Structures are given as C-alpha cells and as structure tokens.
Amino acid sequence: MAPSNGWIDIHGHFTPPISDSERESRWHAMRDAAFLVPEPFQWSPESTIEYLDHAGIAMQFLSNIPKSLDALKSSNDYAASLVKKYPTRFGLLAALPTNDPEACLKEIDRAETELETDGFAVTARYNEVYLGDERLDPVWDELNKRNAAVFIHPDAYAPPSMGRPSPLIEVAFETTRTVVDMLYAGTFRKFPKINFIVAHCGGALPVLSGRLELLGAEPWVPNPKKITKEEIRRQLGKLFLDTAATAPTGLAPALLMVAPDHIVYGADCGVPCSTTETMEENRMKVLGYGGLEQREREAIGRNVLKLFPNAAARLEK
C-alpha cells in the first residue's frame, strides 16, 4: 500500500486557547448532549503536527466556526497566527458568520487583506440560517468575484437525535439538506466560480444524487428557479468532497457523483469525535480503496492544492 507522504488535509479543526474551567464546562455540555467524550478535550498545534508527521501529511487546513461574531473573529486571528508561525504545515480557512451578510462581507475583506487567508469555511446552518438563504447572495457574489474556495461543514454540536450525538449521523443529513437547498436556490448556478468543498464525502448527498437527478425536476417538486435534470447532475458533479470519517463506504457513491479528481483528503482532525485510531483507519481505507487505480488514490492527497495557489506556493519554498 502506497504511503500518504506529502498529502494535504483539508479538514482540520482547532481550538483557540481557553481556560481549564471553560474546557471543563464545554465537556459537561457535550455530555449533556449525549456526546459522551470521556474527558475534556485539549488541542495544541504541537500535538497536531506530531500526528501530521506520523500520517505523512504535509499541510492541514484549519477551520473553526464559533457561533458569536467576536469569538469567530478572534478564532480567525488565532488560526492566522498559526499559519504565520507554521506556514508550510497549516493553511487558513477563515470562518464566516453566515447569519449576518454585512458582517460576512467585512470578514471576507479582513481575512484576505489582514489575515492572508487561503480560503473560507462556513457552517451548513449557522445560528439557524441555512446557506441557501437568498440574503447571502451578496456574500456568494463577493466570493465568486474572488474565485474563492469555500469549505462547507455541518454543525457537529447540534442537539442529539434519538439519544445519539449529532456527529454520528445527523451531520450527514444536515449537509445534504443544505446542499440540496443551495441547488434549488440557484446558488451554484449564479456563482459558478466558487469552488465548494463539502465535508464527510458530502454526507448522504452522493447516495441520494441519483434520486435527485431522476425526480428533482419533476413537475410535482417546487422548483421556482427551474433547475433542470441536467443541471442537477452537472452542479453536483462540480462539488469537491473530502474523505473525512467516511472512506470505508463513502467513496463508492461519491465517485458516482463526482470525478476522482474532485475527491480530496480530509482527516477530521482536532475534534473530540476523532481519535488517532479512527483517523488512521479511515486514511488506510482511502489508500486501499479498490475502486480507483493506485495513481488516483495517491492523487486524493494532493487534489485540493489546485484550489489554493498561495498554500501551494508556501509548500514549494
């Protein structure tokens, strides 16, 4: 099995410095939400780089999307400082507060001019506002003008469902609902220069993409933007999908929806629902996936770099 030396991980999370009491409080809140992590979670850039070295990962893109504007901006500042300190190990996906279009536009400008961000990260539903909300059109328009790469991630800290925590399966369905809503809102049609990267192999979307293509343009489906059957297939095929925590069964349906060069590596590092063991098992499943040729499997770890020229340039120095 070929190693993953020099791969790029699009899906890395982080936690800005917090007090021990805040860490303890967050732990209890998670457990109250059926997210039964055994102890308070700790994150550090040093331990992350240690894992990246072990896994043969050259660079990891960092994203974290707090639910208040001040915390979000502070988090972006902290991540930018890490990229400045470790320019060949980390990339920045600046978080955007997508419940507030005006604040989004300001943060896009600040992230590019002051923080030198590589791309952007958004939550599928941020403070109850979905990404298909047409009030966000000015935000997408600005990102479209910048040919931006935008990472879509669900809210892993949403309330539990049927006694089980959101990261187990609910994240997949929230992702799917959101991307389908964006499709019918015409987001992908109106803003074709944005490269959207969807976490967790697109959630349940690849499995349902054939159903969407078959039925989604039928007259009994509300479709005010007149999205066509061909457009459904084409727009879904333009998405990039990461491999985070889904490789054993997620790659086959993903490859029915997108081409191999739109599959990008993601570890889902830096969160309490991932461990070294689960990340390594998933990475081995990517490397050993029999539905692709060896060169295509190896390319998964570098496919995303074409979307991030500044990060690629840092790696070449």
Side-chain angles (χ1 to χ4, degrees):
M1 184 179 295
S4 55
N5 291 336
W7 276 24
I8 311 301
D9 174 14
I10 190 62
H11 195 147
H13 300 291
F14 68 96
T15 304
I18 58 175
S19 66
D20 289 343
S21 62
E22 175 63 17
R23 185 177 295 108
E24 186 88 7
S25 176
R26 292 184 183 187
W27 177 52
H28 287 295
M30 283 189 283
R31 292 185 65 84
D32 289 344
F35 196 166
L36 302 181
V37 290
E39 59 187 6
F41 181 73
Q42 297 194 46
W43 184 89
S44 74
E46 294 80 13
S47 62
T48 300
I49 290 172
E50 183 179 351
Y51 170 71
L52 298 180
D53 288 342
H54 168 78
I57 307 301
M59 177 183 283
Q60 180 182 92
F61 284 88
L62 297 172
S63 60
N64 178 52
I65 313 177
K67 294 185 178 180
S68 77
L69 181 57
D70 287 345
L72 180 146
K73 292 171 68 175
S74 178
S75 176
N76 284 343
D77 290 342
Y78 176 65
S81 75
L82 293 177
V83 176
K84 187 174 182 179
K85 185 176 182 180
Y86 305 103
T88 62
R89 304 312 307 271
F90 292 127
L92 172 60
L93 299 175
L96 295 179
T98 48
N99 65 327
D100 185 337
E102 185 176 346
C104 265
L105 291 170
K106 291 179 179 178
E107 192 63 6
I108 290 169
D109 185 65
R110 190 181 81 91
E112 289 216 335
T113 58
E114 298 180 23
L115 305 183
E116 298 181 338
T117 193
D118 295 296
F120 298 90
V122 294
T123 301
R125 178 179 57 175
Y126 185 75
N127 291 334
E128 303 306 316
V129 177
Y130 281 97
L131 297 178
D133 193 310
E134 292 195 348
R135 290 173 294 178
L136 287 171
D137 276 8
V139 174
W140 300 131
D141 185 53
E142 184 61 31
L143 292 168
N144 192 64
K145 292 174 183 175
R146 297 172 186 252
N147 298 298
V150 177
F151 180 58
I152 298 176
H153 192 283
D155 181 4
Y157 297 98
S161 175
M162 302 178 76
R164 283 169 287 277
S166 181
L168 185 60
I169 62 171
E170 290 306 310
V171 290
F173 297 113
E174 178 167 286
T175 298
T176 304
R177 281 190 293 270
T178 299
V179 176
V180 171
D181 190 50
M182 295 172 77
L183 176 71
Y184 280 99
T187 305
F188 304 131
R189 173 198 286 171
K190 290 182 283 187
F191 311 107
K193 295 181 181 179
I194 301 174
N195 288 301
F196 287 102
I197 307 160
V198 188
H200 313 123
C201 258
L205 183 63
V207 173
L208 293 172
S209 61
R211 182 178 178 85
L212 276 168
E213 184 179 345
L214 179 68
L215 302 176
E218 290 295 291
W220 51 268
V221 178
N223 188 5
K225 303 295 184 184
K226 308 299 181 186
I227 304 298
T228 66
K229 181 174 183 176
E230 191 280 332
E231 191 173 7
I232 291 172
R233 181 194 59 77
R234 179 166 45 84
Q235 298 292 7
L236 295 181
K238 287 178 63 179
L239 299 172
F240 290 81
L241 309 179
D242 86 19
T243 62
T246 53
T249 58
L251 282 173
L255 287 163
L256 293 174
M257 189 178 94
V258 304
D261 65 349
H262 277 230
I263 303 292
V264 301
Y265 180 68
D268 214 348
C269 190
V271 284
C273 56
S274 293
T275 66
T276 297
E277 291 74 22
T278 60
M279 290 188 294
E280 284 300 277
E281 181 177 345
N282 195 66
R283 184 171 67 90
M284 290 299 105
K285 294 293 185 181
V286 173
L287 286 168
Y289 179 65
L292 292 173
E293 297 179 8
Q294 181 174 326
R295 62 175 179 80
E296 293 173 317
R297 293 194 300 270
E298 293 173 358
I300 286 173
R302 305 284 289 187
N303 283 336
V304 82
L305 265 187
K306 58 180 172 281
L307 307 183
F308 299 101
N310 291 338
R314 294 200 302 273
L315 286 170
E316 291 175 359
K317 289 184 178 179

